[in-house]
């Protein structure tokens, strides 16, 4: 018989061993056992933990796989504000930074580090155990993402050794290595999901996932670069980080102590080139004063420490040959010229295609097929061509004609006033536009129809089963069965998911319609403002522009959309299918404004007009568009209409400022707090960080 005590010992032994091998694999990059043996040991632990829940430990290595429960993130105030660094692109400014400090303090130790390109995180450890992980947020308050962070295998859950302070924070960068990024985007492409533009967005987006099991699969990593606390073991940066390395943290091996500007510049020049072969993205070098007493004496400005600076690398570019140009038709009919390139390595990935923007850009850069061209990665997914190496041009490089007909349907292309792009106007007869609209409609942020990806939509279209978004709602499982590679179960899933989409809130339906320029946020504001599709359809340009985010261009696009009888007939079919054409009534937060008629007018500083209107309804009040004798009060911002003001004065209607209105709601006001301004200089908080944040 195995005693319960023996079970406990076995569980603890497995945990210790798994933590050890985890550290060897993810932090030291030198595994001692095979993946197979590791997985076997992990399974043993998971089974034992399930059988003996009394030995549950929230920091067991088994939490690395995450959970599929969805979690909301609580807001947490940072014990020490998370500041940013002042940036420079100039070696001269950087030398001045070094020389200014040396001028004041004499020879100084500087620590040069890589600037990792991900998203900042602050980890709190108590008695050697990870208790909290918080994002930067606005610098003062961030999101508690502990459950997600626990799945990042290079972050120790329980520390090694015994010389760590009882309580400390360690900060660093969570990032996505290129291999994880490429794998993630390849998976998303196959599933018809939108792609992440770069590893930084992918890391930040992943960290905010609501299911930690999803985070666990995405291969995030974390390097720590900063400690904060009252009882750190050493009085300088580099020794503290070396100690942290011995406790199990991943600390950069490329941290170097430098003296004087020349050594700092040498470090920068080396890494500007050497970073290209790192497996993760970096965007600069951070130079920090090593000694804490000197840091204290240098202090902080409102936003950043005076003892550190970031030198940012210029965007990487590569030179390669332009082989040919394709023209792609997007869901809105916009034509995008795409360059096919001789494959070239750029910022960690191989680039074969690049955007050429539009005809004007091609003419301005005088780009010809056969040219050697410069490619850069900006914030977008597809890299762009930024110039031509004219010295490499040969007689074979010929200017090429921009197309005047749609490459897909042959329709004559049009150009809208003030826009550089060409468009195919054949909305209802051009395949990529039709398919693109359907793919947009089923997307996660729109109607979220699972199981249907870009490829299946293409097949449905080719088989004549779906010609527009409304056709989705007449599909039957038997129709889908004819499609190749689609089993009965997948067909049922699709049908169920289409059925479920009927309950998707109105704002997402409005976004899903794919009206040009109406993005996710605009759709949300419009849904809150108009409350129903009928109200949107009835609104003229002026009325449309009363909604936040809707300007001239968007209003015209909306009117154009509803003027098309094809769209009206699609909408009628969607209405009959039972989709949500009205915004949900929001749950009340209080009755503070019960029975009150309120007018909101002017421009505000803390909230948008629509946010104030939403608040009024949440607290039981009624929004009025104009002042009348039954108006109880006006919430007035800057530049309130003079007519309204005159009428209010005549009728003796009370006028409240935004601040007074918020005070009136008092504690019952439960809307999200407005973004706080950055940390003010010379506050009490700053006194604290000056002694504790290194
Ligand atoms: S030190 C007080 N070191 O860059 C500032 N930051 O604007 C503490 N970053 O938010 C930051 N690599 O997310 C520091 N080696 C490094 C870094 C680094 C990347 C990020 C960090 C910070 C931003 C600076």
């Amino acid at each position: 018989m195995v005693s319960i005590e023996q079970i406990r010992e076995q569980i603890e032994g497995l945990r210790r061993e798994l933590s050890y091998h985890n550290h060897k694999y993810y932090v030291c990059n030198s595994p001692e056992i095979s993946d197979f043996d590791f997985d076997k040991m992990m399974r043993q632990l998971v089974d034992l933990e399930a059988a003996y829940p009394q030995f549950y430990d929230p920091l067991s290595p088994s939490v690395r796989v995450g959970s599929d429960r969805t979690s909301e993130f609580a807001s947490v105030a940072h014990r020490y504000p998370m500041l940013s660094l002042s940036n420079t692109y100039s070696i001269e400014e950087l030398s001045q930074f070094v020389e200014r400090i040396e001028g004041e303090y004499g020879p100084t130790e500087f620590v040069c580090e890589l600037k990792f390109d991900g998203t900042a995180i602050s980890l709190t450890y108590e008695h050697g155990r990870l208790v909290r992980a918080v994002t930067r947020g606005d610098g003062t308050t961030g999101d508690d993402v502990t459950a997600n962070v626990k799945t990042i295998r290079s972050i120790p859950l329980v520390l090694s050794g015994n010389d760590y302070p009882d309580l400390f924070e360690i900060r660093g960068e969570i990032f996505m290595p290129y291999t994880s990024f490429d794998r993630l985007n390849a998976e998303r492409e196959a599933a018809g999901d939108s792609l992440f533009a770069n590893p930084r967005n992918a890391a930040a987006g992943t960290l905010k996932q609501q299911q930690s099991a999803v985070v666990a699969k995405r291969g995030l990593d974390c390097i720590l670069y900063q400690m904060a606390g009252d009882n750190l073991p050493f009085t300088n940066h580099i020794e503290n980080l070396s100690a942290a390395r011995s406790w199990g943290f991943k600390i950069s091996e490329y941290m170097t102590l430098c003296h004087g500007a020349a050594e700092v510049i040498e470090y920068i020049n080396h890494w500007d080139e050497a970073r290209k072969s790192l497996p993760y993205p970096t965007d600069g070098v951070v130079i920090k004063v090593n000694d804490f007493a000197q840091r204290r004496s240098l202090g902080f400005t409102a936003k950043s420490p005076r003892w550190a600076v970031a030198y940012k690398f210029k965007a990487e570019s590569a030179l390669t040959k332009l082989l040919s140009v394709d023209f792609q038709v997007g869901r809105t009919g916009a034509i995008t010229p795409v360059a096919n390139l001789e494959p070239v390595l750029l910022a960690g990935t191989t680039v074969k295609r690049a955007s050429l923007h539009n005809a004007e850009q091609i003419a301005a850069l005088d780009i010809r097929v056969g040219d050697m061209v410069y490619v850069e990665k900006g914030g977008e997914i597809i890299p762009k061509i930024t110039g031509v190496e004219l010295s490499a041009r040969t007689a074979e490089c010929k200017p090429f004609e921009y197309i005047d007909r749609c490459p897909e349907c042959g329709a004559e292309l049009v150009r809208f006033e003030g826009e550089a792009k060409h468009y195919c106007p054949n909305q209802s007869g051009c395949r990529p536009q039709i398919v693109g609209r359907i793919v947009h409609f089923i997307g996660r942020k729109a109607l979220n129809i699972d199981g249907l990806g870009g490829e299946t939509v293409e097949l449905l279209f080719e088989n004549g089963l779906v010609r527009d978004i409304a056709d989705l709602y007449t599909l039957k499982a038997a129709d889908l069965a004819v499609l190749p590679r689609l089993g009965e179960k997948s067909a049922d899933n699709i049908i169920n998911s289409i059925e479920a989409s009927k309950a998707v809130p109105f704002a997402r339906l409005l976004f899903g319609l794919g009206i040009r320029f109406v993005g996710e946020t605009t759709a949300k504001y419009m849904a809150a403002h108009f409350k129903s599709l009928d109200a949107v359809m009835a609104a003229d340009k002026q009325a449309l522009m009363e909604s936040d985010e809707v300007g001239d261009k968007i209003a015209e696009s909306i009117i154009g959309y509803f003027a098309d009888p094809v769209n009206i007939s699609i909408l009628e079919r969607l209405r009959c299918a039972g989709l949500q054409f009205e915004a949900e009534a929001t749950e009340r937060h209080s009755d503070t404004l019960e029975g009150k008629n309120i007018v909101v007018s002017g421009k505000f500083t803390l909230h948008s007009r629509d946010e104030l209107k939403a608040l009024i309804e949440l607290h039981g009040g009624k929004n009025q568009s104009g002042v009348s004798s039954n108006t109880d009060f006006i919430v007035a911002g800057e530049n309130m209409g003079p007519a309204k003001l005159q009428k209010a004065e005549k009728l003796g209607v009370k006028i409240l400022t935004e601040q007074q209105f918020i005070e009136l709601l008092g504690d019952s006001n439960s809307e999200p707090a407005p973004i706080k301004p950055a940390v003010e200089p010379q506050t009490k908080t700053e006194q604290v960080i000056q002694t504790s944040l290194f």
Side-chain angles (χ1 to χ4, degrees), residues 81-83 138-140 301-303 676-683 685-686 689:
M82 283 182 87
L83 304 178
D138 62 4
T140 311
T301 67
K303 278 189 276 172
K676 288 195 196 104
V679 197
E680 292 297 330
Q682 297 310 319
T683 57
T685 344
E686 186 161 309
I689 45 178

Side-chain angles (χ1 to χ4, degrees), residues 83-85 113-116 120 173 225-226 286 288 305:
L83 304 178
S84 58
L85 293 170
E113 298 170 10
L114 291 171
K115 187 168 185 299
F116 309 100
E173 200 81 352
Y225 49 63
Q226 160 112 342
V286 183
K288 304 171 177 172

Side-chain angles (χ1 to χ4, degrees), residues 604-665:
F604 299 88
T605 46
L606 299 175
H607 302 78
S608 73
R609 214 165 31 228
D610 280 339
E611 279 169 352
L612 290 173
K613 287 185 179 173
L615 273 178
I616 290 173
E617 285 179 14
L618 283 175
H619 293 276
K622 229 180 117 195
N623 283 295
Q624 285 185 313
S625 52
V627 182
S628 69
S629 57
N630 69 358
T631 303
D632 290 286
F633 61 84
I634 301 177
V635 185
E638 232 179 275
N639 302 332
M640 168 176 162
K644 277 192 184 136
L645 190 61
Q646 229 172 29
K647 197 156 177 197
E649 278 167 0
K650 205 171 112 202
L651 295 169
V653 177
K654 209 159 67 185
I655 297 182
L656 298 187
T657 63
E658 183 181 13
Q659 198 61 45
Q660 286 167 328
F661 171 69
I662 298 300
E663 277 163 20
L664 174 73
L665 298 179

Side-chain angles (χ1 to χ4, degrees), residues 309-379:
V309 71
Y311 172 85
K312 302 259 277 195
F313 296 130
K314 278 177 208 66
E316 255 182 75
S317 77
L319 193 61
T320 189
K321 191 170 182 175
L322 173 60
L323 301 176
S324 62
V325 177
D326 287 341
F327 293 89
Q328 285 183 350
V329 187
R331 87 175 147 83
T332 59
I335 306 289
T336 307
V338 178
N340 294 310
L341 305 167
E342 215 159 71
V344 61
L345 197 66
L346 175 63
T349 46
T350 306
V351 173
K352 290 184 219 128
R353 286 160 75 74
S355 166
L356 280 165
H357 298 285
N358 53 53
E360 274 170 26
Q361 175 105 20
I362 293 172
L365 294 174
D366 184 21
I367 296 174
R368 305 180 186 184
V369 171
D371 268 339
M372 292 302 286
V373 291
Y374 288 99
V375 205
E376 263 181 33
K377 271 193 186 165

Side-chain angles (χ1 to χ4, degrees), residues 156-427:
L157 304 173
V158 179
L159 301 184
S160 311
N162 50 18
D163 54 341
Y164 42 75
D166 280 350
L167 171 69
F168 69 97
E169 272 185 47
I170 188 160
R171 292 175 175 177
E173 200 81 352
I174 289 182
F175 57 88
M176 192 173 277
Y178 293 123
T179 45
S180 307
F181 176 70
D182 292 342
R183 188 186 60 217
L184 174 63
N185 263 355
E187 281 168 12
R188 292 177 73 86
E189 190 165 18
D193 286 340
S194 60
L195 302 189
F196 283 112
N198 51 49
R200 186 189 339 108
N201 290 1
T206 299
L207 198 60
K208 293 291 187 70
Q209 278 288 322
Q210 289 187 319
Q211 296 180 336
S212 57
V214 174
V215 184
K217 290 193 195 112
R218 295 237 181 127
L220 292 178
D221 202 344
C222 179
I223 293 183
L224 287 311
Y225 49 63
Q226 160 112 342
M227 272 170 81
D230 292 327
N231 297 307
L232 302 183
F234 296 99
T235 59
N236 68 59
H237 180 65
I238 209 156
E239 283 184 294
N240 276 317
L241 286 187
S242 302
R245 183 182 284 129
S246 76
W247 305 331
F249 291 105
K250 192 172 208 167
I251 307 292
S252 173
E253 21 174 339
Y254 308 123
M255 199 168 54
T256 305
L257 206 54
C258 293
H259 305 83
E263 280 184 31
V264 172
I265 293 167
E266 198 184 308
Y267 182 92
I268 290 178
N269 288 339
H270 169 74
W271 281 106
D272 201 356
E273 190 52 38
R275 73 189 182 108
K276 293 177 187 162
S277 38
L278 288 173
Y280 47 75
T282 55
D283 62 343
V285 164
V286 183
I287 299 98
K288 304 171 177 172
V289 167
N290 189 29
D291 182 63
F292 287 171
Q294 207 173 332
R295 285 190 182 187
R296 263 194 295 276
S297 150
L298 281 158
F300 296 81
T301 67
K303 278 189 276 172
S304 50
R306 288 203 185 85
W307 43 260
V309 71
Y311 172 85
K312 302 259 277 195
F313 296 130
K314 278 177 208 66
E316 255 182 75
S317 77
L319 193 61
T320 189
K321 191 170 182 175
L322 173 60
L323 301 176
S324 62
V325 177
D326 287 341
F327 293 89
Q328 285 183 350
V329 187
R331 87 175 147 83
T332 59
I335 306 289
T336 307
V338 178
N340 294 310
L341 305 167
E342 215 159 71
V344 61
L345 197 66
L346 175 63
T349 46
T350 306
V351 173
K352 290 184 219 128
R353 286 160 75 74
S355 166
L356 280 165
H357 298 285
N358 53 53
E360 274 170 26
Q361 175 105 20
I362 293 172
L365 294 174
D366 184 21
I367 296 174
R368 305 180 186 184
V369 171
D371 268 339
M372 292 302 286
V373 291
Y374 288 99
V375 205
E376 263 181 33
K377 271 193 186 165
E380 289 94 47
I381 300 166
I382 309 193
K384 52 182 190 266
I385 290 190
T386 53
V388 178
E389 181 52 58
L390 289 174
S391 67
R393 177 168 284 172
T394 63
E396 276 144 46
C397 304
K398 294 264 155 41
F400 64 96
E401 290 281 306
Y402 203 84
I403 50 169
D404 52 12
R405 292 197 165 269
C406 175
E408 295 281 344
C409 72
E412 198 167 328
L413 300 181
V414 296
R415 276 179 82 172
F416 298 109
E417 211 187 293
E419 277 200 52
K421 273 196 178 301
H422 287 68
Y423 283 85
C424 165
N426 183 13
Q427 280 186 23

